[in-house]
Amino acid sequence: VSSKCQIEKVKKATYITYIGYVHVCIYDTQTKYIFVLTKRISRLSLCSKMASDDKKNPMRDIQVDKLILNCCVGESGDRLTRAARVLEQLTGQQPVYSKARYTLRSFGIRRNEKIAVHVTVRGEKALEILERGLKVKEYELLQKNFSDTGNFGFGINEHIDLGIKYDPTTGIYGMDFFVCLTRRGARVARRKVRKGRVGFNHKVTKEDSIKWFQEKFEGVVLAQAL
């Protein structure tokens, strides 16, 4: 074909795709030859060709499913109450208390004692609080901050860095940020009726979450701490 029809001289090419086969019709205006090439393709290569189409698939977009803020005090009492007040002031939601799973006498923790408080944020408010937390970290994270399931987390030492006014009666508390990323359609694995499974190619991986963080916030991912 290359001897009779040069690629630069081809003026018209029509692609007809069938299940398992691709038929390419090439028409040369000089020699007036019509070449029909038939190639058998697998379903995987057919799906990859559809994925690389100019039209972007909105189902592949990564979005924040939820943001969890956790503040562990290690004891019950006034300190835990003040930490809950900080989270409520930051998110505007009622936080939930967490209990110890077992007794640790060296830390003075008893089983079923309230030692921590956390809150779950979704939607636009989650993105707003996440950006404030990343600004404290100067948009720099480590590779070990990202999990294999596509989630990532980090911590801050002082809550006043998030823009909250310092209150001497409250004190200063640190907290953990944990972000769960997902794609549209992940609900099929959690619903009660007609439950299904999410395919491996549709799950968010560690590489996907790192790329999303770099593109969304122009962040920097370091191999190790400087």
Side-chain angles (χ1 to χ4, degrees):
V1 176
S2 59
S3 60
K4 294 184 179 180
C5 177
Q6 299 294 331
I7 301 300
E8 297 83 4
K9 299 179 181 179
V10 174
K11 301 299 182 180
K12 185 177 181 181
T14 305
Y15 291 83
I16 308 172
T17 306
Y18 297 94
I19 300 299
Y21 291 90
V22 172
H23 298 270
V24 183
C25 301
I26 302 177
Y27 174 71
D28 189 4
T29 56
Q30 294 185 355
T31 59
K32 296 183 180 180
Y33 286 133
I34 298 178
F35 302 96
V36 179
L37 305 179
T38 304
K39 181 181 179 182
R40 185 175 182 179
I41 62 173
S42 62
R43 186 177 297 273
L44 180 61
S45 61
L46 181 61
C47 294
S48 62
K49 180 176 177 60
M50 295 174 62
S52 61
D53 196 5
D54 295 335
K55 186 177 180 181
K56 190 176 181 180
N57 187 1
M59 298 293 290
R60 299 289 298 173
D61 293 340
I62 298 178
Q63 55 190 2
V64 177
D65 185 21
K66 57 185 175 181
L67 168 67
I68 299 96
L69 302 176
N70 180 63
C71 183
C72 184
V73 179
E75 62 180 5
S76 59
D78 294 338
R79 289 193 61 200
L80 186 61
T81 305
R82 291 195 294 266
R85 191 188 310 161
V86 170
L87 290 182
E88 185 176 1
Q89 183 180 0
L90 177 62
T91 61
Q93 300 177 192
Q94 187 69 26
V96 180
Y97 292 93
S98 302
K99 297 180 181 180
R101 293 183 295 175
Y102 44 83
T103 302
L104 287 176
R105 293 187 178 181
S106 59
F107 289 93
I109 297 175
R110 298 186 304 272
R111 185 172 180 267
N112 291 330
E113 180 184 4
K114 295 180 180 179
I115 60 173
V117 62
H118 68 275
V119 64
T120 302
V121 189
R122 302 176 189 269
E124 296 295 332
K125 185 183 295 184
L127 286 174
E128 178 188 353
I129 298 176
L130 174 60
E131 189 166 3
R132 289 161 65 180
L134 290 174
K135 188 176 181 181
V136 177
K137 303 293 289 185
E138 296 180 352
Y139 300 96
E140 292 183 358
L141 295 178
L142 303 177
Q143 287 186 356
K144 64 180 182 180
N145 291 126
F146 296 84
S147 65
D148 294 334
T149 55
N151 306 320
F152 68 94
F154 59 93
I156 62 174
N157 296 325
E158 299 179 355
H159 73 277
I160 58 177
D161 294 334
L162 299 174
I164 301 177
K165 187 178 180 181
Y166 172 71
D167 188 1
T169 60
T170 303
I172 296 178
Y173 292 89
M175 62 185 65
D176 299 323
F177 286 68
F178 197 81
V179 185
C180 295
L181 300 179
T182 184
R183 286 191 174 103
R184 297 178 183 176
R187 175 181 168 271
V188 299
R190 300 191 298 265
R191 63 188 182 186
K192 295 182 179 180
V193 182
R194 299 179 64 86
K195 182 180 294 187
R197 61 181 296 272
V198 179
F200 179 77
N201 293 332
H202 199 66
K203 293 180 180 179
V204 182
T205 61
K206 181 176 181 178
E207 291 74 15
D208 294 337
S209 59
I210 292 177
K211 183 178 179 182
W212 177 86
F213 168 70
Q214 293 174 342
E215 293 179 354
K216 180 73 174 180
F217 300 101
E218 298 181 357
V220 179
V221 179
L222 305 176
Q224 58 184 359
L226 298 178

